[in-house]
Amino acid sequence: MTSFYRKEIDFLRALAVIFVILYHYFPNILNKGYLGVDLFFVISGFLISFQIYDQTIKKNFSLKNFYVRRIKRILPATLFTLIIVFLISLYLLTDTDFYSFLKSLIYSLFFSSNFFFWQDGGYFGPNDELKPLLHFWSLAIEEQFYIIFPVIFLIFIKFLKNKNILFFIVFLITSLSLILNIALINIGGSNPAFFLLPTRIWNLSFGVLAMLMFVNRKEVHSNIEATFFFCLIITGVFYEIPNLPTNFIIVFSSFMLLRKKIPKDFIFKNFVENKYFNYLGLISFSLYLWHWPILVFFKYYFVYDVNIWFKMLSLLTMFLLSIFSYHIVELTFRHKFNFKKLFFIICLVYLFFISIFFFNNNLKNNSKYEINSPNFIASASLTNFKCKTTNYFLYDKLRGCLINKYGISDYDLALVGNSHAQMYVPSILPFLKKNSQKGILLPMTGCLPTLTINISEDCLKTSNKYFKKYAEDNKITNIIIATTWWHDQLYDGEKFVYDKEHILLAKSLLQLVNKLNSLGKTVYLVGPIQVPLYELPQDLSRLLKFNHINVNQLRNKLKVDKSTYENNYGKINKLFSKELNLNFIDLSKEQCDDKYCYYGNNEGIFFADGSHLSNYAANLFSKSFKNIFK
């Protein structure tokens, strides 16, 4: 194998892992530090393509040896991390969280955790902070790239003798991936754009482009040029270019830096080649593996806040584990261990985890929990409805989701709004199935369905785009509108205005209803419910599990005085009842009695997170929608 080493790459690796660690531990200091992952992607694209290109040109490249090196480089440290994290999770997590963890572990073993976390919620939500293997999504992207890329690139190198054509094809693939990323984000698909390989290839292939320029032109940066691109990389975690992906600056500037050598007399040479930074670069893989689960476990136990001293303790633990992992695990298995023995150990670990998963799955299917126990509360976690990927469709360049996809008739009902419309799908699904009827969900990704006010200027544009389409859709005869209600400030097209009693929102919703009625559509409005506005099943289950609260305190947290609800929504409920009569769906009648509004009962918890109904509650409240389907 060709000896190849650029000290600035270890510096860039160190920079990347520092960005990521700072973001996760101190997000207020570096709120875009997660973009360090994109820097890793560009470096990976550069190094892997260089290895393949250089050895192929010298006629000593072996695909088998390439994959063996990848396995020895990646799997020992990864499996070591998974084993330790599994043992801690077994003790620490509630049953629901442990089962979710096991699923993410199985996906991680097969380099597909990006698919799991895409479907399981995302990366930036409050509940995502409690997933010990969330950071494995990026390893999945890299490994998928490593599996596919070498074969395709090898064919390109062998059959495309003209280097300019090779560069052009890689550039074309990079451009198509970037365009797909932008297009997906523009139709509300920021989650798949973040997690999936096709919309991430451009990050890695910019590294490939840099490699092709590096080996073919053999140019050297000037001092000014190299300094500029180093500074631009750092700038990339603070700023973004409008209408381009957030990570564009950091990816492009990394490409520009790697395409040429750093000058021998570089003015910041002592900094870039500093031995401590270089060491951080060397152990960056282990640092990346360990930094996140250690922090998650501290967050999981303390529930609300991890103070600075415990964060420092977790950082120290992370560094010690990373040093051990690099020197004892990574280097030993990479350089001193027979591959056949390693392969046998890997197979045993895989078999162990898969067996544990199936055993736990069987237990979960037969589990019944004591009322108001930690596991009883946690069982509601993240059970709110999510549209299946196979049910999404393009609704005139907008996102739509089919409800009861295999209903005999075409859709004639639309559920319109933000995620608080989506959560009512289980409430109406039984009626659709009974009538062999199909419906569509039009989710506006955080935006209100109102046309005159909204939570932002962009949301105002989004809601009007959707309205234009569903208002003109002659197939839709019935519309159910549902939304969130707690916004104190709303954008009216010119400025933000206060709406503490939600009167402006109520009037805007009635205007929307009247507009749709004038077009011959029958419209139903789902009224406000009392929501906890904190991650109820996740927080309460842990508070109880770790004895931060007792059972009596728990019971008090599962209800709120009815007066609180009336103060918030009493006026607008009377307005809706008067204007809409039976077309107003008042779920407070199901959630509240004369004294209290409840967040759960002896059968289940009503909320899947801080505001979305759990599957149990959505089914429980289903009878309130019966009038729509008479």
Side-chain angles (χ1 to χ4, degrees), residues 548-564:
H548 300 318
I549 61 171
N550 58 39
V551 175
N552 287 332
Q553 289 171 316
L554 170 72
R555 291 194 183 105
N556 288 330
K557 287 180 178 291
L558 288 176
K559 62 186 180 183
V560 63
D561 285 344
K562 177 73 176 291
S563 60
T564 301

Side-chain angles (χ1 to χ4, degrees), residues 311-325:
K311 279 188 178 180
M312 290 300 142
L313 177 61
S314 67
L315 282 169
L316 176 62
T317 306
M318 172 201 72
F319 273 106
L320 292 175
L321 280 168
S322 299
I323 290 167
F324 177 87
S325 176

Side-chain angles (χ1 to χ4, degrees), residues 32 61-62 141 156 196 223 231 246 283 369 395 458 463 533:
K32 287 189 175 69
F61 178 75
S62 164
I141 293 282
F156 283 170
L196 300 183
N223 263 292
C231 292
T246 307
I283 68 169
Y369 300 118
Y395 189 65
D458 286 341
S463 61
L533 289 181

Side-chain angles (χ1 to χ4, degrees), residues 493-512:
E494 295 180 356
K495 61 186 182 302
F496 282 93
V497 293
Y498 284 97
D499 188 30
K500 288 195 173 181
E501 293 187 324
H502 317 295
I503 300 297
L504 293 176
L505 175 58
K507 288 181 177 179
S508 187
L509 282 165
L510 287 174
Q511 286 176 352
L512 173 62

Side-chain angles (χ1 to χ4, degrees), residues 171-285:
F171 177 77
L172 183 63
I173 293 169
T174 304
S175 302
L176 290 173
S177 174
L178 177 58
I179 291 167
L180 179 62
N181 183 289
I182 295 169
L184 204 53
I185 290 171
N186 284 339
I187 62 167
S190 56
N191 231 24
F194 184 90
F195 280 111
L196 300 183
L197 179 62
T199 49
R200 284 287 187 171
I201 283 178
W202 69 277
N203 302 170
L204 292 136
S205 57
F206 257 119
V208 181
L209 290 173
M211 182 281 298
L212 290 172
M213 296 177 74
F214 177 78
V215 298
N216 291 322
R217 297 185 181 179
K218 297 180 172 59
E219 294 178 332
V220 180
H221 284 294
S222 67
N223 263 292
I224 294 174
E225 195 177 31
T227 303
F228 174 76
F229 289 124
F230 272 118
C231 292
L232 197 59
I233 288 171
I234 295 170
T235 302
V237 294
F238 294 98
Y239 301 101
E240 59 185 280
I241 300 173
N243 303 317
L244 284 176
T246 307
N247 54 354
F248 184 82
I249 292 177
I250 200 166
V251 170
F252 184 74
S253 53
S254 302
F255 152 73
M256 293 296 286
L257 181 70
L258 289 171
R259 70 196 170 93
K260 294 182 183 181
K261 291 181 180 180
I262 299 298
K264 290 182 179 180
D265 61 343
F266 185 41
I267 53 175
F268 294 108
K269 183 177 180 179
N270 291 336
F271 189 66
V272 170
E273 297 185 1
N274 178 277
K275 64 179 181 180
Y276 298 110
F277 275 116
N278 286 167
Y279 183 71
L280 284 180
L282 287 172
I283 68 169
S284 59
F285 179 56

